[in-house]
Amino acid sequence: SLPPPPTDLASICSTDSITLPGGYQKCEALCSRAECCFLPQGHWFSCTGSTGTGSSFESGGVGGAAAEECTEYQEVCAVLDGYGSAAGAPSSSAGDGATNMGVQVEIPSAQINLGEICSPDSLATPHGFDECTSTCEVARCCSQPI
């Protein structure tokens, strides 16, 4: 089940806090508890049944207080998107394969049919999930600290 966000989540994940040593990691650890809130509707681990607004939830997803908790996690944890986890500082090269530690990573282009391979229908089956996971493995470094 989705843990409620800590009362100090906004403070821990403030821009000032995540630029301090260890601050990014502390925020990331709290936000990772709500990983299911950040996955697209239809993903096997998603706890959202979003109608596309990001704040309303259909049956089958989370509802009531859990929907509000997902919304809070989504709003507060979005600050992590603009920062690199390796040094906990703003990344000046976001999106070009480099991190703020000077490590260069080359990732091949995605397969042209990646949308089909990783579609919600495909992810609903064990074979489809395995195929998507295998296909995306080459880009795994992009979602992990280097």
Side-chain angles (χ1 to χ4, degrees):
S1 88
L2 178 64
T7 56
D8 58 349
L9 181 64
S11 174
I12 291 169
C13 292
S14 71
T15 302
D16 290 340
S17 293
I18 67 173
T19 59
L20 297 173
Y24 180 97
Q25 290 80 5
K26 188 173 183 179
C27 175
E28 183 178 45
L30 290 174
C31 292
S32 69
R33 299 181 340 178
E35 179 181 7
C36 64
C37 294
F38 300 94
L39 299 171
Q41 179 185 6
H43 186 281
W44 69 275
F45 190 62
S46 176
C47 57
T48 62
S50 176
T51 59
T53 64
S55 61
S56 79
F57 294 82
E58 299 173 331
S59 61
V62 294
E68 292 175 19
E69 290 168 354
C70 258
T71 299
E72 182 175 349
Y73 276 115
Q74 290 167 337
E75 290 173 356
V76 174
C77 297
V79 70
L80 295 173
D81 292 341
Y83 288 80
S85 62
S91 174
S92 61
S93 56
D96 68 1
T99 69
N100 48 350
M101 297 270 308
V103 177
Q104 184 72 27
V105 178
E106 291 192 32
I107 299 172
S109 297
Q111 289 188 12
I112 196 162
N113 62 339
L114 185 62
E116 182 180 321
I117 293 171
C118 298
S119 71
D121 288 342
S122 180
L123 290 172
T125 68
H127 172 73
F129 176 79
D130 289 343
E131 185 178 14
C132 177
T133 301
S134 174
T135 301
C136 293
E137 185 64 30
V138 296
R140 185 160 176 79
C141 70
C142 297
S143 62
Q144 300 292 321
I146 296 176

